[in-house]
């Protein structure tokens, strides 16, 4: 009898293991990236589309699945890459999709296969990471559901997904030239805020409430810029997945008359908390729950508004349509009024409410290395640039992953970038700095160690100006240990939250403040860490981390067929 029970137990284990293996799938996609004519906001523009659509197709998978995207570049005159934002690329650093860092840009007419595992459920997205192609519209959603047989730690009756972005009427190439000019030609504020690639320019769905007054948008529903309406049933709970791929704008989102309960941030569960409105910065993603418990005879506004910059862009709007009401029945109340653009206390209050769900991984109480990164705006040879510890990032022609993996000399600046900045620097005062230089050195991090990063904000070149910067780390999640005012000092360490800090991949530094992060160097590769505001990265606001590169297994030759690694491969001396 005992042997029979043992046999049954072994059989059950084998069945469970085989079913989990069978549940994981390889999901194949065949994409062509090209420029297309499109009307994101009613004004026809040239946008970057995938398979003839904008935004690009939504990828949906389950945790544990393999994604295989066969990407063909149909742009004719420029390269392309795609970054899978929030996917850690464990074991596949070459698939991170960062030009000159993890791979060569895919040349016009060529095809490259991204193949990687999505190891964790959550709300993610993808976007271009070459030049300013994200500003050109190269982005889409990537949703990872829990593995087969697993459950989310919350219940909902239905689900929606909103990808938030901003839009200009001058193209990304012109923006690049403007930002690289002497003197700087600032690109200005976006013309439109888009929700799932749709917005309205020079008209409003809420025209009667607009200030200044705009004409009523005459939308029939089939237009490319017609809002995607969220249709709901009364007395149900819905999950709303949110991701921001904005090039510049920090946003505030609200649903008229409805409370929102935040349950996920950047693919990590958080302690649920309720808000009337929420900030979302470029590179961040969230899941919120809301219940349709308002008057079922009405419809309600969903609005996005600019934060952290004086708004010169109208709200983005769509409708929460309570069925069976007609979607043409506009709300009787105005759209939600956003907090004042510079009410940073409101923003900080929201950020400080984000805490890890009980049972989430906790950080080590100790760190091995601390790097303090000072964000400054500088003049270099008359050009306006952003710099980190006085170094403005200019990427090399050979991808770091290949040059470090194969020990190629002279591929990048071998001088280590500084771990700190001069302690007498006053972060509160305008400080034009003639010592800033261009550079592409790498922070070489010891493998399997704990690293603390202190992001330190300072005054920009304009008088009394310090900007919001959302920073994104590739290849990792990090713990957000805390935020503070002014210049970071050793006494601030006692304020760190080591009990339940949230795990994120993107975090904000507020004006004249600091943000503390901790992460573990457990993912062999070369990883970008940068401001997710597209113009700021273009102007040099980023650094490069490398860890355990000697442990990286065979990198596809197609990823390294340029620069010095391309020459190396031509000799056929390396496999």
């Amino acid at each position: 009898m005992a042997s029979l029970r043992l046999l049954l137990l072994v059989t059950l284990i084998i069945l469970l293991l085989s079913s989990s293996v069978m549940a994981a799938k390889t999901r194949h996609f065949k994409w062509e990236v090209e420029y297309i004519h499109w009307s994101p906001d009613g004004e026809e523009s040239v946008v970057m589309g995938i398979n003839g659509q904008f935004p690009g197709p939504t990828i949906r998978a389950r945790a544990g699945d393999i994604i295989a995207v066969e990407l063909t570049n149909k742009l004719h005159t420029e390269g392309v890459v795609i970054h899978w934002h929030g996917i850690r690329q464990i074991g596949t650093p070459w698939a991170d999709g960062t030009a000159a860092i993890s791979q060569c840009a895919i040349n016009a007419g060529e095809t490259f296969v991204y193949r990687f595992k999505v190891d964790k459920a959550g709300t993610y997205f993808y976007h271009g990471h070459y030049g300013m192609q994200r500003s050109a519209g190269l982005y889409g959603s990537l949703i990872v559901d829990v593995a087969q047989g697993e459950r989310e730690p919350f219940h909902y009756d239905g689900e929606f997904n909103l990808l938030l972005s901003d839009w200009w009427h001058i193209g990304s190439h012109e923006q690049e030239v403007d930002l690289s000019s002497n003197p700087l030609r600032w690109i200005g504020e976006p013309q439109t805020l888009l929700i799932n690639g749709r917005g309205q320019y020079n008209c409003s769905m809420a025209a009667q409430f607009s200030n200044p007054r705009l004409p009523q948008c005459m939308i029939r529903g089939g237009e490319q810029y017609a809002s995607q309406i969220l249709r709901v049933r009364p007395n149900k709970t819905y999950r709303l997945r949110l991701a921001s791929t904005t090039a510049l704008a920090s946003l505030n989102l609200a649903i008229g008359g409805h409370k929102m309960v935040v349950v996920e941030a950047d693919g990590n569960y958080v302690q649920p908390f309720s808000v009337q409105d929420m900030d979302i910065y470029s590179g961040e993603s969230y899941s919120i729950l809301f219940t349709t418990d308002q008057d079922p005879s009405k419809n309600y506004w969903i609005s996005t508004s600019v934060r952290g910059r004086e708004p010169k862009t109208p709200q983005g709007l769509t409708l929460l349509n309570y069925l069976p009401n007609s979607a043409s029945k506009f709300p009787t109340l105005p759209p939600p009024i956003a907090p004042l653009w510079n009410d940073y206390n409101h923003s900080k209050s929201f950020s400080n409410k984000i805490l890890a769900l009980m049972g989430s991984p906790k950080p080590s109480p100790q760190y091995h290395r601390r790097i303090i990164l000072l964000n400054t705006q500088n003049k270099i040879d008359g050009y306006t640039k952003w710099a980190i510890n006085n170094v403005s990032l200019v990427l090399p022609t050979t991808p770091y992953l290949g040059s470090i993996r194969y020990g190629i000399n002279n591929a990048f600046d071998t001088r280590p970038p500084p771990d700190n900045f001069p302690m007498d620097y006053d972060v509160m005062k305008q400080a034009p700095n003639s010592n800033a230089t261009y550079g592409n050195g790498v922070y070489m991090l010891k493998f399997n160690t704990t690293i603390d990063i202190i992001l330190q904000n300072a005054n920009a070149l304009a008088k009394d100006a310090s900007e919001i910067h959302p920073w994104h780390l590739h290849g990792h999640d990090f713990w957000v240990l805390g935020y503070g005012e002014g210049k970071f000092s050793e006494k601030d360490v006692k304020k760190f939250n080591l009990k339940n800090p949230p795990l994120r991949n993107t975090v904000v530094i507020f004006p004249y403040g600091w943000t503390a992060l901790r992460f573990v160097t457990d993912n062999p590769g070369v990883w970008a860490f940068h401001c997710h505001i597209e113009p700021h990265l273009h102007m040099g606001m980023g650094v490069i981390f490398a860890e355990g590169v000697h442990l990286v297994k065979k990198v596809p030759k197609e990823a390294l067929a340029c620069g010095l690694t391309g020459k190396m491969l031509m000799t056929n001396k390396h496999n």
Side-chain angles (χ1 to χ4, degrees):
M1 183 63 72
S3 60
L4 180 60
R5 282 201 297 266
L6 181 61
L7 180 62
L8 288 171
L9 180 61
V10 170
T11 304
L12 179 61
I13 290 171
I14 291 171
L15 285 171
L16 286 171
L17 287 172
S18 62
S19 66
S20 65
V21 170
M22 288 170 61
K25 293 182 178 179
T26 298
R27 300 179 185 267
H28 295 274
F29 302 89
K30 197 168 184 177
W31 287 0
E32 293 184 345
V33 176
E34 59 188 331
Y35 284 109
I36 56 177
H37 288 104
W38 204 267
S39 297
D41 61 2
E43 297 281 309
E44 188 175 79
S45 305
V46 171
V47 308
M48 291 188 78
I50 298 176
N51 293 350
Q53 69 182 77
F54 166 80
T58 295
I59 287 179
R60 190 127 201 171
R62 286 194 177 275
D65 286 352
I66 301 295
I67 303 294
V69 178
E70 184 182 319
L71 185 79
T72 300
N73 179 0
K74 306 277 279 192
L75 298 177
H76 301 299
T77 59
E78 61 188 289
V80 70
V81 295
I82 290 185
H83 168 56
W84 314 94
H85 187 108
I87 306 302
R88 292 178 294 181
Q89 301 294 349
I90 296 171
T92 51
W94 52 266
D96 190 46
T98 47
I101 301 171
S102 64
Q103 70 169 112
C104 303
I106 305 162
N107 289 328
E110 292 185 352
T111 298
F112 183 84
V113 178
Y114 288 101
R115 187 181 179 88
F116 55 90
K117 184 177 183 178
V118 287
D119 64 310
K120 191 173 60 167
T123 304
Y124 308 105
F125 61 102
Y126 61 84
H127 60 81
H129 215 294
Y130 182 54
M132 290 182 64
Q133 290 179 346
R134 176 158 56 94
S135 294
L138 184 54
Y139 45 72
S141 293
L142 198 171
I143 306 299
V144 182
D145 293 305
V146 294
Q148 195 80 41
E150 295 186 8
R151 290 185 178 181
E152 305 274 13
F154 41 81
H155 167 78
Y156 51 96
D157 302 301
E159 178 182 313
F160 300 99
N161 178 45
L162 298 183
L163 186 63
L164 311 177
S165 54
D166 43 13
W167 191 250
W168 281 257
H169 291 163
I170 61 168
S172 61
H173 293 137
E174 186 176 344
Q175 291 182 42
E176 286 185 34
V177 174
D178 288 348
L179 293 167
S180 303
S181 296
N182 183 7
L184 172 76
R185 296 188 183 188
W186 179 239
I187 61 173
E189 302 304 306
Q191 275 66 64
T192 318
L193 299 180
L194 305 181
I195 300 175
N196 285 348
R198 298 159 181 254
Q200 293 80 45
Y201 176 70
N202 270 349
C203 71
S204 174
M205 293 172 62
Q208 68 194 87
F209 305 111
S210 59
N211 185 20
R213 194 67 183 262
L214 290 170
Q216 181 69 40
C217 293
M218 306 305 291
I219 299 174
R220 295 185 302 276
E223 299 88 348
Q224 291 174 339
Y225 59 91
S227 297
Q228 285 189 346
I229 293 165
L230 278 60
R231 293 179 169 85
V232 295
R233 298 281 180 187
N235 300 311
K236 300 288 186 183
T237 297
Y238 292 89
R239 179 181 190 168
L240 182 58
R241 295 181 183 267
L242 302 164
S244 175
T245 185
T246 55
L248 176 66
S250 302
L251 300 175
N252 182 269
L253 180 133
I255 306 174
H258 293 71
K259 284 186 177 179
M260 301 181 289
V261 178
V262 181
V263 293
E264 177 218 342
D266 293 353
N268 296 286
Y269 298 126
V270 299
Q271 292 181 22
F273 65 96
S274 178
V275 289
Q276 293 294 142
D277 63 83
M278 60 179 289
D279 288 343
I280 179 167
Y281 303 99
S282 179
E284 291 187 328
S285 64
Y286 291 95
S287 283
I288 62 105
L289 303 178
F290 68 93
T291 301
T292 50
D293 54 5
Q294 300 301 297
D295 183 346
S297 68
K298 297 180 179 179
N299 293 330
Y300 300 85
W301 297 113
I302 298 174
S303 67
T304 58
S305 308
V306 171
R307 301 286 287 132
R309 308 179 69 85
E310 188 171 356
K312 295 181 172 62
T313 310
Q315 285 181 309
L317 294 174
T318 190
L319 274 179
L320 186 68
N321 173 209
Y322 271 60
L323 297 173
N325 299 330
S326 168
S328 62
K329 184 178 183 178
F330 284 154
T332 55
L333 295 175
I337 298 173
L340 288 174
W341 68 271
N342 56 358
D343 183 355
Y344 295 116
N345 287 332
H346 186 88
S347 301
K348 292 171 185 176
S349 173
F350 175 76
S351 293
N352 283 312
K353 288 176 182 173
I354 303 171
L355 301 169
L357 189 65
M358 187 179 297
S360 301
K362 291 185 179 182
S364 164
Q366 306 297 331
Y367 66 91
H368 298 100
R369 180 179 177 184
R370 177 190 288 164
I371 301 172
I372 302 180
L373 300 176
L374 174 69
N375 296 257
T376 57
Q377 196 176 45
N378 304 79
K379 292 280 190 178
I380 304 178
D381 301 328
Y383 293 88
T384 303
K385 298 293 177 182
W386 288 96
I388 305 302
N389 292 351
N390 275 341
V391 179
S392 185
L393 180 65
V394 178
L395 294 172
T397 55
T398 302
Y400 291 104
L401 183 63
S403 59
I404 296 174
R405 175 68 179 80
Y406 295 110
I408 296 175
N409 296 322
N410 304 317
F412 57 88
D413 188 349
T414 55
R415 292 173 297 172
D419 276 23
N420 209 331
F421 61 95
M423 283 298 99
D424 60 351
Y425 187 90
D426 189 345
V427 301
M428 306 300 289
K429 290 185 178 178
Q430 180 183 2
N433 196 326
S434 59
N435 296 323
T437 60
Y438 298 112
N440 54 30
V442 177
Y443 286 93
M444 297 291 187
L445 306 179
K446 191 174 179 182
F447 189 60
N448 262 336
T449 58
T450 300
I451 307 295
D452 274 13
I453 303 291
I454 310 297
L455 291 165
Q456 176 68 64
N457 214 342
N459 201 107
L461 286 175
K463 185 179 179 182
D464 299 325
S466 185
E467 298 188 24
I468 281 176
H469 300 290
W471 274 71
H472 171 57
L473 177 60
H474 293 231
H476 304 78
D477 285 347
F478 50 70
W479 290 279
V480 183
L481 302 184
Y483 307 87
E485 312 289 333
K487 184 191 284 189
F488 175 82
S489 69
E490 197 61 38
K491 69 178 185 296
D492 292 314
V493 173
K494 62 179 180 288
K495 303 175 190 173
F496 284 178
N497 173 17
L498 298 178
K499 180 183 175 184
N500 53 6
L503 273 168
R504 305 294 303 265
N505 62 56
T506 305
V507 73
V508 63
I509 36 171
F510 293 106
Y512 299 113
W514 55 264
T515 299
L517 319 174
R518 182 167 292 175
F519 73 100
V520 179
T521 57
D522 56 1
N523 193 7
V526 183
W527 309 106
F529 183 44
H530 61 89
C531 179
H532 209 260
I533 292 175
E534 189 87 315
H536 291 183
L537 174 59
H538 181 73
M539 296 164 70
M541 199 177 211
V543 296
I544 305 297
F545 294 147
E547 66 200 61
V549 179
H550 63 287
L551 299 172
V552 174
K553 295 179 181 176
K554 186 177 178 181
V555 181
K557 291 180 180 179
E558 297 85 357
L560 302 177
C562 64
L564 298 176
T565 46
K567 292 179 180 177
M568 175 197 77
L569 291 169
M570 288 175 66
T571 67
N572 292 319
K573 290 180 180 178
H574 294 266
N575 294 318

